[in-house]
Amino acid sequence: MIRRIFFKYRFWLLLALMFASQLAIVGGFFFVIVADRDAAQRELFEQLLLQRAVPMLLLALLLVSAQAWALKALIGRYLAPMARMAEEAVLLMSNPGYRIAPTGAREVRELGAKLNTLATSHQRLHDDVQAKIEAANAALAEERNRLAALMSELAQGVLVCNLEGRILLCNSRARKLFEVAQGGAARAAPVGLGRSVFGLLERGLIVHALEQVQYQLQHPEEGTGPLSVFVTSLNEGRIIVRAHMAPVVDNERTMNGFVLTLDDITRKVEAEIRHERLQQLLTHETRDMLANIRASVEIMQDFPELSEYKRQQFIGIIDHESQRLTRQIEDADRQRAGDHGGQWRLEEMRGDDLLALLLRRLDNAVLDDDARAGGDEGALWLQVDSYALAHTLTYLAHRLTHEKAVAQLRIGLRRVGRLAHLELGWSGEPLSADTLRSWENESLQLSVGQSDVTLSSVVASHGGEVVYQFDPAGSMSYFRILLPLAERRAPVDIGVLPPGRPEFYDFDLFRQSGQDAALEERPLTALHYTVFDTETTGLHPADGDEIISIGAVRIVNGRMLEQESFDQLVQPGQFLRPESTAIHGITDAMLKGRPRIAEVLPQFHRFAEDTVLVGHNAAFDMKFLQMKEAQTGVRFSQPVLDTLLLSQVVHPNQEQHTLEALARRFGVDIVGRHTALGDASVTAEVFLKMIPLLAEKGIVTLRQALDAAQQTAYARIRY
C-alpha cells in the first residue's frame, strides 16, 4: 500500500523532501551565525533579513521551480522509462518476439537498445529450442491422434479417473452415451477433463466398486485381476449401463485411479425382459390350453357312451384350444424372430459392402443391376453376421455350380417395404422341393464345434425367411433371403479432428488433489478455470440491456481445452441498436429462434461449475449474469479473476490494459475479437501467460491474486 502511494505521488513527495532539506540547511546556517552573537547583533541581523525577505522569497521560489523542473525531467527521462523498461524486460520471457520501445534520456534509450539486442539473441536461441520442442510435440501429437482414433472406434464408453473421481480421459462414446441419456448435449451434465464422474454416475456404486477393487488388490488371487462390475441406469432408467472398473496402479502397485468401461445394455435388457414375458406367457397360457384339451380327451375316453352332441362339444373345445395353442406358438415365434436370436453376433453393415463381400467370395457371380442396394431411397443398412451369411451363400453357390451345372449367378439386394431381399438368381431347370429342403437343413460346418449350423438356422438367426421362386417365362430361379432392415449406423466423428490438439485425456491430473478443500489457498497453476465473455445489447444492465451471446473455454491443468467450449447466441427479447451491432456484428436475424437467457444461463452454469471464473473486465459481465440469477434460479458463487485488474498488478507502469494491448504485449493472436467465444479464447491465453508473472511478484495462490486485484484502481469500478 505504502509503495503504491509513494509511486503515485512520488513527484510531490520528492520535491517536498528536497525543499525541506534545503530549508534545513539554510536554517542551520543561520543558526550557526547567530548562535554566539549578542542581542544587538541578533536584532541587526533580523533587520537585515527582513529588509531582504522579498528577494530571498523570490530566490526560494526560483530554486523550487528549478528543482521541480529538474525532478520532473529526472523522472520523465530516467525513472519512469526505466520502470516501464523493467516491466517490458519481464515480458521478454513470456513473449520472445516482444521488443522494448526505448524512451527517455539517451542513456536509457541505449540501455533499451542493448536489451533488445539481447532479446534478439535470446529469441534466436528460443526459436531453435522451440523448433525442437515442436518436432517432439508433432511426434507426440501423432501418437495422441492414434490414441484418439482408437478410443473413438471403441464400441464402449471409456472414462479414466483419479481417486477423487476427476475425469482424466473420456472418449467420444462416453460423451455420446451421457448426452443421449440426458436428452441431448444442451441438457446433459458436462463431460470433460477435470470434471467429476460423480455428477454422471451414482456415487455409491462407484465407491462400492472402488472398495471391491482395492480389496482385490490387497488380496490378489492367482489367475485373476482386480475388477468390479456393476449395472446402473442413467436418467431414471432411460439407458442401462454395465460398467467394468479396473484399477490404475503406479510402480509400487498402489492404486491412484481407475478405468471405467461403459457398455450400453439397454436393448439387451429389453430383449431379455421380452423373452421372460414370452416365457411366462407360454408357460401359463399353454398350461391352461393343454389342461382343457387333456380334460376333454379324458372325458371322451372315460365316457364312451357320450351323446353325439356332447362329443361334438368336446371336439370343438379340443379344436378351439389347439388353434389357440397354434396361434400362441406362432406369436411366440414372431416375437422371437423380432428379437433376432443370437443378435450378439450381428453387426450393422451397409448393403453395398455386403454385396461387395459376396462378389469377392462367389467366383461366378455378377451383380444384378436391377437389384442394387438401397435404390433411390438411399443407403440400405442391415444387421447381419456377414461371415455366416457369406459362408451360407458360398455353400449354396457351390451346390448349384457342381450339382446343377449353373455357369453364372446373379446377385442383388433390394429394399421391399421394411425388408431387404438378398437375391441369388440363375438360369436353368427349377429346383425340387426335396433338394431345397435338404440343402437348407444340411450342416454348413461353419466352424469347429458348430456342426448344427444350417442354412435355415443362419437365416433364422437373422430373423429372416427363405423364399424360392421359379420364373418359367425366362427359366430363371431366384433364391431370396428376406432380412429385416437396420437403422443406419450413427456416424463416428473421427475423420477430421478439430483444430488444435485433441484434448481427450490429461494424465497429469493424476497428481492433482481435489479443488474443493481450501480453494483460495491453492496455487493458481493447480486450479481449473472457465474463461468467459458476453456480448450484450448495450453497456447498461440496470437500464434494460440484455445478454445476446455467451462464450467460454476451460483451462485445466494449465492448458486451454480448445475442444471444450461454450458458444451460444441468446434471444434478448428486444431489437438491437445499430451502434451495438456495429461492435459485435450480431444482427436481429442471427438471434431469431435462439433460446432465451432463462434456458441458456443454467446450461452455462453447468459448464462452469467447480471452476474459477475468469474474464476481462469481468465486473461488467458478472453484473449481467447476476441480474439474471433470480429469473433463472442459478447463482454464480465461485471466485472471479479479472485480467484487467491482474494486468495492473503485473504491469503497473503500462498505460494500456485493454484486451488488445494485453494480447499485443503477450504475443497472443487476436481471432474473433468482439465475439464472445473469440474474446474468451484471447483472455484465456493472456491469463495463462500472466500466471508466471504473478508468481514473480510472489502471487501464487488464488487468495493472493484476488487480494492483489482488489487493490488496483480499476477494482473500484461499479456497473
Side-chain angles (χ1 to χ4, degrees):
M1 177 67 76
I2 295 175
R3 183 179 179 182
R4 194 171 71 253
I5 293 174
F6 173 77
F7 186 80
K8 185 175 182 179
Y9 301 104
R10 60 185 174 182
F11 172 77
W12 297 107
L13 290 173
L14 288 174
L15 184 62
L17 181 62
M18 292 173 63
F19 186 69
S21 300
Q22 290 170 354
L23 281 181
I25 293 172
V26 173
F29 174 74
F30 284 123
F31 177 77
V32 172
I33 292 176
V34 302
D36 55 349
R37 304 300 177 184
D38 55 22
Q41 290 176 329
R42 292 179 180 175
E43 184 178 357
L44 178 61
F45 187 73
E46 290 173 358
Q47 289 176 355
L48 288 173
L49 287 178
L50 288 175
Q51 290 173 358
R52 291 165 176 76
V54 174
M56 291 179 65
L57 284 175
L58 291 176
L59 182 62
L61 288 174
L62 184 62
L63 182 61
V64 169
S65 299
Q67 290 176 339
W69 177 84
L71 183 60
K72 188 172 183 60
L74 176 67
I75 293 175
R77 292 172 61 80
Y78 287 93
L79 297 183
M82 292 186 71
R84 285 195 295 272
M85 192 182 301
E87 292 176 358
E88 293 179 87
V90 176
L91 276 172
L92 295 176
M93 291 187 295
S94 56
N95 181 16
Y98 186 80
R99 291 294 178 269
I100 296 170
T103 58
R106 180 175 59 81
E107 295 84 356
V108 178
R109 294 198 303 273
E110 289 179 354
L111 179 59
K114 295 294 183 186
L115 285 174
N116 282 338
T117 303
L118 286 174
T120 302
S121 176
H122 168 71
Q123 185 182 14
R124 193 176 302 115
L125 294 174
H126 176 272
D127 291 344
D128 291 341
V129 174
Q130 198 64 28
K132 295 177 181 176
I133 293 175
E134 288 178 358
N137 284 340
L140 181 60
E142 186 176 357
E143 295 296 326
R144 293 167 66 101
N145 289 337
R146 288 175 185 164
L147 180 57
L150 175 64
M151 297 296 293
S152 299
E153 281 287 1
L154 289 178
Q156 292 83 21
V158 178
L159 296 175
V160 180
C161 306
N162 62 16
L163 288 180
E164 294 167 350
R166 296 285 170 190
I167 298 174
L168 319 180
L169 177 151
C170 60
N171 68 348
S172 56
R173 289 284 181 183
R175 291 177 191 268
K176 190 68 177 177
L177 181 65
F178 289 111
E179 288 176 2
V180 171
Q182 299 179 50
R187 297 181 181 178
V191 183
L193 302 184
R195 298 190 184 278
S196 175
V197 72
F198 299 123
L200 305 172
L201 297 171
E202 186 179 338
R203 172 185 287 271
L205 285 172
I206 297 176
V207 172
H208 176 73
L210 276 173
E211 290 175 351
Q212 285 185 302
V213 170
Q214 286 176 328
Y215 177 83
Q216 293 172 28
L217 279 174
Q218 295 166 1
H219 304 82
E221 291 187 15
E222 188 175 352
T224 62
L227 180 70
S228 179
V229 182
F230 61 88
V231 175
T232 184
S233 62
L234 306 178
N235 196 16
E236 299 179 349
R238 185 173 179 176
I239 290 182
I240 301 173
V241 171
R242 177 180 284 115
H244 294 74
M245 177 184 287
V248 177
V249 297
D250 57 20
N251 295 333
E252 299 177 353
R253 296 286 298 167
T254 302
M255 183 175 176
N256 59 8
F258 57 89
V259 180
L260 276 176
T261 307
L262 307 173
D263 193 8
D264 182 1
I265 59 170
T266 308
R267 296 176 65 180
K268 293 180 181 176
V269 171
E270 290 174 350
E272 287 181 6
I273 291 173
R274 285 196 300 271
H275 180 73
E276 288 179 2
R277 287 176 179 169
L278 179 62
Q279 211 168 22
Q280 289 178 354
L281 188 66
L282 281 173
T283 303
H284 295 158
E285 296 195 5
T286 303
R287 183 184 297 124
D288 294 341
M289 288 183 275
L290 288 174
N292 291 335
I293 293 173
R294 184 173 182 80
S296 299
V297 171
E298 287 177 352
I299 290 174
M300 292 171 66
Q301 289 176 337
D302 295 342
F303 301 96
E305 67 279 5
L306 281 175
S307 66
E308 184 62 22
Y309 174 74
K310 287 291 185 182
R311 182 178 297 277
Q312 290 300 322
Q313 277 187 324
F314 285 117
I315 292 174
I317 291 173
I318 294 171
D319 181 61
H320 175 71
E321 293 298 332
S322 62
Q323 289 184 24
R324 281 184 60 198
L325 187 58
T326 302
R327 287 196 297 271
Q328 191 74 29
I329 293 173
E330 290 175 350
D331 289 343
D333 190 53
R334 279 195 295 274
Q335 291 185 39
R336 185 195 62 78
D339 283 342
H340 300 174
Q343 195 173 20
W344 57 276
R345 293 178 181 274
L346 307 184
E347 59 177 329
E348 293 172 356
M349 190 171 191
R350 202 172 56 157
D352 287 337
D353 296 338
L354 178 61
L355 284 179
L357 170 66
L358 295 175
L359 288 172
R360 291 195 298 271
R361 295 289 180 86
L362 307 179
D363 297 332
N364 57 344
V366 296
L367 183 63
D368 185 353
D369 292 335
D370 295 332
R372 56 194 175 88
D376 298 332
E377 300 179 36
L380 185 151
W381 285 80
L382 303 167
Q383 197 163 28
V384 297
D385 179 352
S386 59
Y387 172 73
L389 205 56
H391 194 86
T392 301
L393 290 182
T394 303
Y395 158 79
L396 189 61
H398 178 81
R399 302 299 293 264
L400 288 169
T401 303
H402 293 83
E403 298 182 16
K404 302 299 177 183
V406 174
Q408 189 174 61
L409 296 166
R410 304 182 68 82
I411 190 167
L413 183 66
R414 74 179 78 205
R415 184 200 307 269
V416 179
R418 300 177 61 182
L419 297 175
H421 286 193
L422 179 59
E423 185 177 274
L424 200 62
W426 65 91
S427 176
E429 295 297 322
L431 295 178
S432 66
D434 291 340
T435 302
L436 272 176
R437 192 178 305 110
S438 66
W439 289 1
E440 288 177 5
N441 295 317
E442 187 171 285
S443 174
L444 298 178
Q445 296 296 324
L446 196 61
S447 59
V448 177
Q450 283 191 297
S451 59
D452 57 340
V453 176
T454 64
L455 189 153
S456 296
S457 67
V458 169
V459 175
S461 70
H462 288 75
E465 294 181 9
V466 171
V467 174
Y468 171 73
Q469 180 185 1
F470 178 72
D471 181 8
S475 296
M476 286 293 296
S477 293
Y478 297 98
F479 185 90
R480 295 191 182 96
I481 300 177
L482 280 52
L483 299 169
L485 291 171
E487 293 185 3
R488 180 173 183 161
R489 180 190 299 169
V492 179
D493 186 18
I494 60 169
V496 179
L497 290 174
R501 295 180 300 173
E503 307 293 355
F504 63 92
Y505 75 85
D506 189 344
F507 292 136
D508 291 340
L509 294 172
F510 267 127
R511 296 190 289 272
Q512 289 197 5
S513 57
Q515 286 198 339
D516 298 345
L519 181 67
E520 293 185 351
E521 301 305 323
R522 299 199 59 208
L524 292 171
T525 53
L527 294 171
H528 302 169
Y529 303 92
T530 296
V531 189
F532 77 106
D533 185 66
T534 64
E535 299 297 334
T536 62
T537 58
L539 304 177
H540 306 290
D543 295 338
D545 283 325
E546 297 283 349
I547 295 173
I548 57 174
S549 177
I550 301 177
V553 295
R554 294 183 70 226
I555 293 177
V556 175
N557 202 24
R559 291 189 299 128
M560 184 175 71
L561 305 183
E562 297 178 1
Q563 296 176 342
E564 286 194 33
S565 61
F566 186 93
D567 188 15
Q568 180 64 59
L569 292 174
V570 183
Q571 169 55 250
Q574 59 182 258
F575 291 108
L576 301 180
R577 292 190 292 272
E579 58 270 27
S580 171
T581 298
I583 295 175
H584 45 60
I586 299 174
T587 63
D588 292 314
M590 296 168 64
L591 300 179
K592 187 177 180 181
R594 300 293 182 178
R596 299 274 187 164
I597 192 66
E599 182 178 349
V600 174
L601 209 56
Q603 296 172 12
F604 176 62
H605 186 265
R606 287 196 295 272
F607 181 84
E609 64 185 1
D610 295 334
T611 63
V612 176
L613 291 176
V614 177
H616 189 78
N617 194 13
F620 174 80
D621 302 291
M622 288 303 299
K623 184 64 176 179
F624 277 91
L625 298 186
Q626 290 164 351
M627 291 193 70
K628 296 298 178 184
E629 287 181 348
Q631 176 188 349
T632 59
V634 297
R635 184 167 179 267
F636 292 88
S637 58
Q638 56 264 68
V640 181
L641 287 175
D642 192 334
T643 52
L644 174 65
L645 308 185
L646 294 178
S647 174
Q648 295 175 76
V649 175
V650 297
H651 296 148
N653 294 296
Q654 302 298 322
E655 297 178 356
Q656 295 290 326
H657 298 282
T658 63
L659 190 56
E660 288 88 348
L662 293 183
R664 187 170 55 253
R665 284 206 289 270
F666 287 109
V668 175
D669 294 331
I670 298 179
V671 179
R673 183 72 175 105
H674 292 305
T675 64
L677 183 59
D679 286 357
S681 298
V682 173
T683 304
E685 292 193 53
V686 166
F687 175 69
L688 286 173
K689 290 180 179 291
M690 278 184 174
I691 291 178
L693 302 186
L694 290 168
E696 283 198 351
K697 292 180 174 293
I699 300 169
V700 294
T701 67
L702 176 60
R703 176 75 270 161
Q704 291 169 335
L706 290 170
D707 290 344
Q710 289 305 311
Q711 293 174 10
T712 60
Y714 285 163
R716 293 188 288 273
I717 296 177
R718 295 291 182 269
Y719 291 92

